Amino acid sequence: MDDIVKAALAKWPNVPHCTGWLLLDRRGDWRMRDEGAQAREELGTPIRHAALRSFIERNYECDGAGRWFFQNGPQRVFVELAYTPWVVRLALPAPGEPTLTDQTGALFEPVAVLIDDEGNVLFPDASPRARVAVLHDHDLDLFTQLATLDADALSGTLDWRSNRQLAIETVRRAEVPARFGFVTSPASAGQDAC
């Protein structure tokens, strides 16, 4: 968390929380959602300003209830999630081994692979509070090049680094939030609006 944010929290500790106005979409883009977009259940307008995106990403955290938020100075802005709190890109540098990076640009080290009932590819990691990331849909072709899928196309293995293979398992999309302890819509969960 930025020092300026910590200072603002200390100075104004009781600023009301905000919900519904910020969304992380399925491709890892941050979107602003005005009242109209919220009412129409639209994704909202992509945030293009690089410094603002960077500020959001540096101050993106999760509370004890599994709600992801952006700490905007003294105000906690809860994030609506199009799917998971993390979106990863898969790359295969030449020469090199495959890598995953999340929407903040940080490396993401998976421990397994999940395919949900809608065909989305997910990667859990081994962090103390297990995170899960959905694979950006533009990288599905590369994933299929690295994966060995069984006849059902829902199980198999993914060739990962140093000849390590990750097991591919199935999961129901509806079960992912509870399994990995996150809330997709703090606004719908009754969190105070701003």
Side-chain angles (χ1 to χ4, degrees):
M1 190 178 294
D2 288 359
D3 288 340
I4 193 169
V5 172
K6 292 176 186 174
L9 278 168
K11 188 173 183 178
W12 298 290
N14 297 318
V15 174
H17 300 318
C18 182
T19 61
W21 288 82
L22 183 63
L23 177 131
L24 178 65
D25 74 14
R26 171 65 183 72
R27 291 185 170 168
D29 290 322
W30 301 100
R31 293 175 172 263
M32 290 296 300
R33 302 174 72 230
D34 63 16
E35 290 173 343
Q38 291 177 52
R40 294 184 299 275
E41 297 184 7
E42 295 173 347
L43 293 177
T45 305
I47 297 173
R48 302 271 185 232
H49 193 277
L52 177 55
R53 286 194 321 258
S54 179
F55 183 60
I56 292 169
E57 291 164 355
R58 286 192 316 272
N59 297 285
Y60 181 56
E61 298 186 13
C62 185
D63 70 9
R67 299 171 300 189
W68 285 86
F69 63 90
F70 155 52
Q71 191 67 46
N72 183 23
Q75 185 172 54
R76 185 168 285 187
V77 179
F78 285 100
V79 177
E80 299 291 299
L81 303 171
Y83 193 174
T84 61
W86 301 97
V87 178
V88 289
R89 297 299 311 256
L90 177 62
L92 184 58
E97 296 181 306
T99 61
L100 287 171
T101 53
D102 66 31
Q103 73 267 12
T104 71
L107 286 176
F108 190 97
E109 190 59 40
V111 294
V113 183
L114 303 171
I115 298 178
D116 74 13
D117 50 335
E118 296 178 8
N120 294 298
V121 176
L122 302 131
F123 294 95
D125 76 358
S127 61
R129 181 176 180 170
R131 299 180 306 160
V132 65
V134 65
L135 181 65
H136 192 293
D137 60 347
H138 288 180
D139 299 334
L140 289 171
D141 283 342
L142 179 56
F143 172 81
T144 58
Q145 292 172 28
L146 298 172
T148 302
L149 298 174
D150 295 339
D152 62 4
L154 298 174
S155 59
T157 58
L158 175 68
D159 292 329
W160 197 237
R161 299 196 194 127
S162 302
N163 298 324
R164 190 170 132 224
Q165 292 188 328
L166 300 176
I168 299 173
E169 301 171 15
T170 58
V171 66
R172 291 180 37 84
R173 180 175 177 157
E175 297 169 355
V176 171
R179 180 171 174 178
F180 291 97
F182 66 89
V183 176
T184 56
S185 179
S188 297
Q191 180 62 41
D192 298 333
C194 55

